[in-house]
Amino acid sequence: AKDYELRQYETAKWVSTVIRGETQKEAMRQGFWKLFHYIQGKNEKEMKIDMTVPVTCLVKSGCTDFKISFFVPFEHQDCPPQPTDSDVFIEERKAAALFVRSFGGFASPEKYAEEADALARTLRNRGQSFHEDFFYTAGYDSPFKLFNRHNEVWYFKK
């Protein structure tokens, strides 16, 4: 469709942390740094790992817990080094079909929410069945990239 796409993702490992009781913006900041320290060597192998994209944030309606995640690079998918920070963990996300809406610019929590609402409306209007109680934000660019930025919101297909 012109305003969204349906993607099939394979099972994959992500390194994640949950930040509780903060604003989404603050949770993203804190979570990013925890995960960044992990890829900079704060793991059992003291191994530096390449930064990957996207950086995702799980947003649940009516909840102030946010799960921030980095995709584990393909070369570490089989055996990612274990985090040494007790707040950081490796998770395996099962294969899934996702409805994805892309947009540009600098994404704020408000912009992500607006785009998620627009995607949800479109999916409902088209009779698509999806998990409406949560969505993921996905950011693909460094904060230093000023132009042609790429952001997404994801809903899981039922």
Side-chain angles (χ1 to χ4, degrees):
K2 70 178 189 331
D3 40 8
Y4 72 91
E5 60 184 293
L6 177 57
R7 289 187 199 150
Q8 182 65 41
Y9 280 93
E10 297 306 313
T11 298
K13 292 189 177 86
W14 295 70
V15 59
S16 302
T17 188
V18 175
I19 306 295
R20 293 180 171 82
E22 296 288 352
T23 63
Q24 185 179 345
K25 186 173 185 169
E26 179 58 20
M28 282 293 293
R29 190 189 70 73
Q30 287 183 25
F32 178 89
W33 285 110
K34 282 185 176 290
L35 299 174
F36 187 76
H37 292 308
Y38 167 82
I39 67 171
Q40 287 298 301
K42 195 172 181 184
N43 56 65
E44 66 180 8
K45 295 181 183 168
E46 296 183 353
M47 176 189 291
K48 280 195 172 210
I49 300 168
D50 289 338
M51 177 81 202
T52 59
V53 291
V55 175
T56 65
C57 178
L58 172 61
V59 180
K60 297 180 196 169
S61 47
C63 183
T64 59
D65 292 358
F66 298 97
K67 182 170 65 177
I68 293 72
S69 307
F70 288 1
F71 179 76
V72 172
F74 292 108
E75 62 267 24
H76 299 292
Q77 279 288 315
D78 289 340
C79 192
Q82 288 303 305
T84 53
D85 179 339
S86 61
D87 292 338
V88 176
F89 56 95
I90 304 294
E91 67 169 319
E92 184 170 271
R93 294 187 193 168
K94 300 294 178 205
L98 304 181
F99 292 109
V100 179
R101 179 179 171 95
S102 299
F103 60 99
F106 279 91
S108 63
E110 296 75 23
K111 180 67 173 162
Y112 277 124
E114 186 181 298
E115 295 291 336
D117 287 346
L119 176 56
R121 266 194 317 275
T122 300
L123 294 174
R124 280 187 217 105
N125 290 342
R126 301 232 170 103
Q128 295 286 0
S129 183
F130 64 101
H131 294 275
E132 297 190 40
D133 53 334
F134 69 93
F135 65 90
Y136 278 90
T137 69
Y140 287 82
D141 302 303
S142 134
F144 307 110
K145 183 174 181 181
L146 301 179
F147 303 103
N148 301 315
R149 296 180 62 80
H150 183 80
N151 313 288
E152 297 174 346
V153 288
W154 301 346
Y155 276 109
F156 280 63
K157 182 177 168 72
K158 276 190 177 173

